[in-house]
Amino acid sequence: MIIIKTDEEIDLIRKSNLLLGQLHGELAKVLKPGIKTIDLDKLAYEFIMDHGGKPSFLNYRGYPNTLCISVNDVVVHGIPGDYVIKEGDIVSIDSGIELNGYHSDSAFTYAVGEIDQEVWTLLKVTKEALYKGIDQAKPGNRVGDIGFAIESHVKKFGFSVVRELTGHGVGKYLHEEPAVPNYGIRGYGKRLKKGMTLAIEPMVNMGTHKVVFDQKDGWTVRTADGKPSAHYELSIAIGEKHADILSTFDYIYSAIKDNPNLSAPE
Ligand code: MF3
Ligand code: CO
């Protein structure tokens, strides 16, 4: 069942996403070569607790942390640990916060130091694909229109979208219906209506779309060919005519300006 939200509920989801945006900004201040991913996770946990929230991912289906930190060939669900970030990495940080009963969900991929030109293009195209998907998230359209827009853009550059993982509804629960695949057929799927709130999150691989699920930790998703993967995610509400973006990357971009180790496509 797709849960339609009132304007008041959408404002609560926006508030949760505003705090999440600020958290992403704090992380972007300290992300640099030499930092351990677990230290970013600790900072995130403290930040969320200090602001009256709860980390949405922590204990979700047994997930052990506040953040998913996915480096290079890790697509999503990288578990923070002893890995030390190094120059040339691409780092996706994904998190969610439950605030006043409503969840937020958003992710961003950074370039740490100098990265290959083609990897930069991967980041750029993935982020563009996110906004192309969001453009289709409007009343009257269908879920397939979002995925179609995302995959069409990605394919133009010879990249591929991951098929085993999708975007989703978000609100009272971190994951609600409908699933929002990053591929689709125009005019197919559930009809989009005002008051739906969705997390749209293209996961784009430079090479094969195929992924491998880590059997030991039960979470880490890697590209099957070891090539890099990028991930950007925003939570949105479907308004009268178009999508209302509830998450924000603004704090990330202002932090990047003052962090010489980081960059990301505009
Ligand atoms: N943004 C991801 C998602 O929407 C992260 C969820 S990871 C989990 O699926 F740890 F919460 F499971
Ligand atoms: Co999500």
Side-chain angles (χ1 to χ4, degrees):
M1 194 196 55
I2 298 177
I3 308 169
I4 299 292
K5 278 80 176 181
T6 63
D7 290 350
E8 290 71 26
E9 289 179 291
I10 289 170
D11 269 326
L12 290 171
I13 301 172
R14 194 192 313 276
K15 286 205 177 82
S16 178
N17 272 286
L18 177 63
L19 185 60
L20 178 58
Q22 290 164 341
L23 167 63
H24 276 294
E26 292 305 307
L27 294 165
K29 285 181 192 169
V30 299
L31 176 58
K32 55 166 159 284
I35 195 163
K36 267 188 193 168
T37 56
I38 193 66
D39 293 330
L40 295 167
D41 191 80
K42 282 182 190 145
L43 185 155
Y45 179 81
E46 297 298 330
F47 180 91
I48 294 171
M49 299 309 278
D50 286 351
H51 290 83
K54 263 180 28 187
S56 300
F57 296 1
L58 184 62
N59 300 323
Y60 178 85
R61 297 179 181 223
Y63 187 74
N65 290 86
T66 297
L67 304 178
C68 296
I69 305 180
S70 305
V71 181
N72 299 333
D73 65 319
V74 177
V75 178
V76 285
H77 302 169
I79 299 178
D82 287 330
Y83 180 80
V84 178
I85 300 292
K86 62 178 196 313
E87 164 97 18
D89 282 345
I90 57 166
V91 180
S92 147
I93 299 183
D94 188 358
S95 195
I97 300 175
E98 183 183 351
L99 186 69
N100 300 316
Y102 288 87
H103 292 268
S104 47
D105 192 2
S106 140
F108 194 90
T109 305
Y110 301 90
V112 179
E114 288 284 309
I115 63 165
D116 290 349
Q117 189 59 49
E118 203 192 352
V119 182
W120 180 263
T121 305
L122 177 71
L123 300 191
K124 183 165 178 286
V125 167
T126 307
K127 190 162 171 252
E128 287 166 356
L130 167 60
Y131 289 100
K132 297 215 180 255
I134 291 174
D135 279 344
Q136 295 300 315
K138 55 188 180 189
N141 270 7
R142 290 175 184 267
V143 168
D145 292 304
I146 298 174
F148 178 82
I150 290 171
E151 188 176 30
S152 312
H153 187 62
V154 164
K155 273 183 168 169
K156 275 189 226 157
F157 298 85
F159 302 143
S160 63
V161 302
V162 173
R163 306 181 81 85
E164 283 89 342
L165 298 142
T166 66
H168 50 90
V170 62
K172 272 205 176 300
Y173 306 93
L174 175 63
H175 289 154
E176 298 181 357
E177 285 183 44
V180 183
N182 295 304
Y183 57 89
I185 302 171
R186 260 186 195 151
Y188 279 77
K190 292 257 158 42
R191 199 176 281 283
L192 301 170
K193 295 200 176 88
K194 179 179 183 296
M196 287 182 183
T197 46
L198 307 174
I200 301 182
E201 50 179 319
M203 290 153 259
V204 177
N205 295 351
M206 184 179 279
T208 179
H209 68 88
K210 292 199 182 107
V211 295
V212 179
F213 293 80
D214 191 295
Q215 296 301 307
K216 272 219 217 91
D217 71 24
W219 283 101
T220 310
V221 182
R222 290 186 185 81
T223 59
D225 58 8
K227 291 188 180 174
S229 183
H231 177 216
Y232 291 90
E233 176 177 26
L234 290 166
S235 302
I236 62 113
I238 298 182
E240 208 79 62
K241 287 218 170 73
H242 45 73
D244 180 5
I245 299 178
L246 305 176
S247 315
T248 172
F249 291 153
D250 290 356
Y251 297 92
I252 287 177
Y253 281 101
S254 65
I256 286 179
K257 276 202 209 92
D258 300 320
N259 184 340
N261 303 285
L262 285 193
S263 58
E266 276 305 312

